[in-house]
Amino acid sequence: MGSELIIIPIIFGAIFGIAYLYFSTRNKERLALIEKGAEASIFVKGTNKRTAPIWKVLLLNLALLLMGIGLGIFLGSLMEAAGFDDDVAYPATIFFMAGVGLFTGFTMTKRLEKED
């Protein structure tokens, strides 16, 4: 009965522990680099003009993912009509075509970043 009350503090404690370790380690690394004489400019994330805007990348990948899912459902219905078991045809084609859509989005994103 009391185990339900313990789970939430454990989850928040794990998240806090991970964040604490991340920030304390990053701080120690930066202090060590400063002691060695490294410039502070390495800590600032530079704006790279060659990358595509994030909204274009997200929109492209989301559109291709949804088109892949739609095509997977369509191919699954064709496979079911051809005599395949619908418990196998639908999930297999949906996941396969969604993966194809995401891979296509990845390659198109690489090409988009090269053009800019």
Side-chain angles (χ1 to χ4, degrees):
M1 176 110 171
S3 64
E4 297 90 8
L5 299 175
I6 296 174
I7 292 174
I8 292 179
I10 288 174
I11 291 172
F12 283 119
I15 292 171
F16 172 76
I18 290 170
Y20 175 77
L21 285 175
Y22 172 74
F23 288 117
S24 66
T25 304
R26 187 177 73 167
N27 186 31
K28 289 177 187 176
E29 289 175 352
R30 288 182 176 188
L31 287 174
L33 284 172
I34 290 171
E35 285 178 2
K36 290 183 179 180
E39 294 182 18
S41 63
I42 62 172
F43 302 128
V44 180
K45 293 182 179 177
T47 57
N48 190 356
K49 299 295 182 187
R50 292 184 45 105
T51 60
I54 191 70
W55 66 269
K56 284 185 181 179
V57 174
L58 287 176
L59 191 62
L60 176 68
N61 285 326
L62 182 65
L64 288 169
L65 174 67
L66 293 176
M67 287 171 30
I69 290 172
L71 187 60
I73 292 171
F74 177 70
L75 290 177
S77 66
L78 289 178
M79 288 175 68
E80 182 185 12
F84 287 94
D85 186 22
D86 64 337
D87 291 336
V88 175
Y90 281 108
T93 56
I94 289 171
F95 284 125
F96 180 74
M97 294 309 294
V100 168
L102 286 175
F103 181 72
T104 306
F106 173 74
T107 56
M108 290 177 73
T109 301
K110 282 183 13 183
R111 193 177 321 134
L112 182 67
E113 288 179 352
K114 283 184 182 179
E115 289 177 0
D116 288 340

